[in-house]
Amino acid sequence: MNGKYIMSLDQGTTSSRCIIYDRSGLQVSAAQQEFAQIYPQAGWVEHDPEEIWRTQISTAKKAAEKLPGGAADILAIGITNQRETTIVWDRRTGKPVYNAIVWQCRRTAGFCDVLKTENLSEKWKEKTGLLIDPYFSATKIRWILDHVPGARKAAEEGHLLFGTVETWLIWNLTGGKTHVTDYSNASRTMLFNIRELCWDEEILQRLEIPASMLPQPVPSCGICGETDEAVFGHRIPICGMAGDQQAALFGQTCFEAGEAKHTYGTGGFMLLNTGKDIVTSSNGLLSTIAWGIGKDVRYALEGSVFVCGAAIQWLRDELKLIGSAAETEEIARGVEDTAGVYLVPAFTGLGAPYWDPYARGVLTGLTRGAGRAHIVRAAVESMAYQTCDLLAAMKEDTGGEIRKIHVDGGAAANDFLLEFQADMLGQPVYRPASIETTSLGAAFLAGLAAGMWQDQDEIRASRLKDQEFLPEMDSARREKLLRGWHRAVERSLRWAEE
Ligand code: ADP
């Protein structure tokens, strides 16, 4: 192995990307390709697994070509991916038996309701850390076995394989030799016992999923296979893997318990490193595996909000109040406050910590003087308020202080948002020099296994300095604003119940 760079494959929901990093964690080459979203019915979302593979490998080759020595310069490969998305293929042909069923797809909602009536929720939460929901892979696999002609029989005869996206990519990269999943991705299937680090026989039995379909669970950091020679012309070890949110936690170097990251994307995702402890939430948060490095497994608490940056898209596309997301910063700064206006963007119900599918959006506190800038500012502030609610739930569940909060995602480019966030949390927030934390996390995991970095301290030391946003608001004003937000949330709850 004489390569100098780490290749990070970032297989997301709307595009496949490849970023190549050097030893100082700097990006030296990149390529990206979008692929089709397939919506066969309302509430259903699919991808073509072959297109996922094609676009991913084509970006990898494109990015490698830009290196002086081409792919020969690559020391190791890391992979991060959209989580929960489910692919089933035939091991004899390598062909998928159905499209990938994407994490957003709600087709198994009815079946999940049936499972909930069987009083399995508590027991399964204890084992898997998750709440029974169509979001996770388990009921999607079951759907494929029930609905694709011949699938159940082929699965029972041992011909079919299941994988989340990293599993599918690794299987293809290794020419069908390696069928593995890393602990962080396994922990999103609702089939994996996160305490014992194995597939749960009882859950498999209830869902009638043959164990022979399942990949071998492996640590997130460590060599799990090598690319087939046909792929890059020589073999490259694959040695870092993590689901996208966990990879971002690692990329933000939140290595210690008590460190959290929040991603302001279309939705919002907060993960708190809880170290070696599995914290069970009483506030609707999920417990999940952050990563496994050898035998050392770290856990996280996870909370998500459905509408984060999507509220800004709504201002732009529906209300036509703004031309671009970036404008919101200047507009928000143009007024002293929202003049009492609050936006609760519960467009698709509310996630953690409220979990009310019947909540709907509310714009409240309007007076005759309320105008465009106040509404725009209220939308930006709603991203911060929702983060406060997640963090409060995490504090309550862990009974401890959150030591450090790192932020990333598209809307983290907005300085006003981060200043307001620090004010409302009453503690600093940190933005990394590069907000590409997801692919960087996968690169760090691979580079650790391949010896590019000796340990996590060295990774941390290689990191450029974060930008720090400090709280300035007095606590009386902060509490008044938060009270207003919670009164507004109260008005959004249960709205669509009728
Ligand atoms: P995803 O990965 O979920 O597609 P990104 O992390 O790329 O999302 O973030 C995009 C989201 O961030 C969009 O919803 C957009 O409205 C919002 N956004 C982007 N830039 C800004 C900004 N400067 N201020 C506020 N919101 C922004």
Side-chain angles (χ1 to χ4, degrees):
M1 293 202 289
N2 54 5
K4 297 189 279 290
Y5 303 108
I6 305 289
M7 170 181 275
S8 180
L9 305 180
D10 180 357
Q11 207 302 306
T13 308
T14 57
S15 74
S16 298
R17 300 196 306 160
C18 173
I19 303 186
I20 297 176
Y21 293 95
D22 68 11
R23 202 174 166 277
S24 45
L26 292 177
Q27 190 170 319
V28 292
S29 170
Q32 175 165 11
Q33 212 173 317
E34 292 196 0
F35 57 85
Q37 306 292 311
I38 304 166
Y39 304 107
Q41 294 187 20
W44 290 30
V45 192
E46 298 178 0
H47 295 153
D48 173 358
E50 309 260 27
E51 198 184 359
I52 288 182
W53 164 243
R54 260 198 323 273
T55 51
Q56 189 63 74
I57 196 64
S58 127
T59 60
K61 286 183 175 167
K62 252 187 230 148
E65 271 167 21
K66 297 180 203 163
L67 300 176
D73 283 349
I74 308 289
L75 175 67
I77 296 178
I79 302 180
T80 180
N81 54 288
Q82 52 166 321
R83 305 178 302 172
E84 297 101 11
T85 296
T86 297
I87 304 174
V88 175
W89 66 97
D90 191 315
R91 68 160 90 223
R92 296 166 297 184
T93 60
K95 295 283 170 219
V97 301
Y98 192 76
N99 272 339
I101 303 184
V102 178
W103 56 273
Q104 298 147 321
C105 187
R106 307 298 297 173
R107 79 182 65 194
T108 58
F111 182 52
C112 287
D113 288 340
V114 171
L115 294 172
K116 285 185 218 161
T117 62
E118 295 173 19
N119 292 326
L120 297 167
S121 304
E122 273 310 304
K123 206 166 171 195
W124 287 18
K125 183 176 163 198
E126 172 75 16
K127 292 173 170 203
T128 67
L130 308 176
L131 305 166
I132 295 177
D133 195 273
Y135 184 26
F136 307 110
S137 316
T139 58
K140 300 182 196 289
I141 305 175
R142 159 78 185 230
W143 189 95
I144 291 175
L145 296 182
D146 282 349
H147 291 84
V148 176
R152 179 162 294 284
K153 184 163 176 291
E156 278 162 8
E157 288 169 359
H159 300 312
L160 299 194
L161 300 178
F162 152 74
T164 39
V165 170
E166 91 295 2
T167 303
W168 168 244
L169 293 177
I170 294 168
W171 199 82
N172 279 288
L173 283 166
T174 59
K177 282 202 194 68
T178 307
H179 186 225
V180 295
T181 182
D182 93 287
Y183 295 153
S184 73
N185 275 292
S187 73
R188 313 299 298 179
T189 58
M190 206 171 77
L191 297 173
F192 195 65
N193 188 315
I194 61 171
R195 294 164 199 276
E196 291 164 19
L197 304 180
C198 61
W199 301 113
D200 190 90
E201 277 177 30
E202 214 179 344
I203 300 179
L204 289 175
Q205 248 173 27
R206 171 60 192 92
L207 297 178
E208 298 174 281
I209 296 174
S212 60
M213 296 179 73
L214 303 176
Q216 183 195 346
V218 296
S220 321
C221 176
I223 298 179
C224 75
E226 283 185 332
T227 58
D228 190 82
E229 253 175 52
V231 179
F232 292 111
H234 67 287
R235 297 174 187 276
I236 305 174
I238 304 165
C239 46
M241 294 151 289
D244 51 12
Q245 298 307 321
Q246 287 97 329
L249 190 69
F250 203 81
Q252 286 272 24
T253 65
C254 295
F255 299 147
E256 306 299 327
E259 290 184 307
K261 74 92 198 168
H262 183 70
T263 301
Y264 303 92
T266 309
F269 287 93
M270 184 177 286
L271 262 74
L272 168 70
N273 185 330
T274 59
K276 295 184 178 178
D277 298 329
I278 300 176
V279 175
T280 303
S281 174
S282 325
N283 291 292
L285 306 174
L286 306 172
S287 318
T288 204
I289 295 181
W291 50 74
I293 299 180
K295 290 202 168 65
D296 183 8
V297 173
R298 300 299 165 110
Y299 294 91
L301 261 185
E302 174 170 331
S304 45
V305 296
F306 302 145
V307 174
C308 179
I312 305 299
Q313 291 165 6
W314 177 72
L315 294 181
R316 186 193 61 195
D317 301 338
E318 257 51 58
L319 299 192
K320 315 231 184 283
L321 286 184
I322 55 171
S324 74
E327 279 174 29
T328 57
E329 177 163 353
E330 203 187 320
I331 298 172
R333 286 192 198 280
V335 283
E336 237 170 66
D337 52 34
T338 67
V341 175
Y342 286 92
L343 173 70
V344 183
F347 303 142
T348 53
L350 284 174
Y354 302 102
W355 291 109
D356 180 358
Y358 302 107
R360 287 298 176 268
V362 160
L363 186 61
T364 190
L366 294 170
T367 57
R368 183 62 185 78
R372 166 178 177 259
H374 300 110
I375 294 172
V376 169
R377 182 165 168 141
V380 176
E381 291 187 355
S382 77
M383 296 193 273
Y385 286 126
Q386 294 188 94
T387 309
C388 288
D389 287 343
L390 284 181
L391 204 79
M394 289 194 171
K395 280 188 179 163
E396 206 176 298
D397 283 334
T398 55
E401 286 303 301
I402 311 290
R403 295 202 316 202
K404 212 168 167 194
I405 301 156
H406 301 258
V407 295
D408 53 43
N414 188 321
D415 286 1
F416 167 79
L417 167 65
L418 300 190
E419 287 161 20
F420 187 74
Q421 185 72 75
D423 278 342
M424 294 319 295
L425 291 172
Q427 74 181 91
V429 298
Y430 297 88
R431 180 175 63 197
S434 158
I435 48 178
E436 299 286 359
T437 55
T438 307
S439 56
L440 188 57
F444 284 158
L445 285 164
L448 260 184
M452 172 86 101
W453 296 285
Q454 293 314 309
D455 53 26
Q456 288 162 330
D457 288 340
E458 197 180 332
I459 289 179
R460 209 175 233 156
S462 77
R463 214 177 126 98
L464 296 172
K465 202 168 159 22
D466 290 336
Q467 194 172 346
E468 190 178 20
F469 293 84
L470 297 169
E472 284 174 1
M473 191 181 283
D474 64 77
S475 59
R477 179 158 167 71
R478 172 167 67 238
E479 275 154 30
K480 183 162 183 272
L481 288 173
L482 271 174
R483 266 200 308 278
W485 164 254
H486 290 129
R487 287 171 65 212
V489 169
E490 181 51 44
R491 278 155 181 77
S492 78
L493 297 174
R494 301 176 297 279
W495 184 261
E497 228 163 30
E498 297 225 331

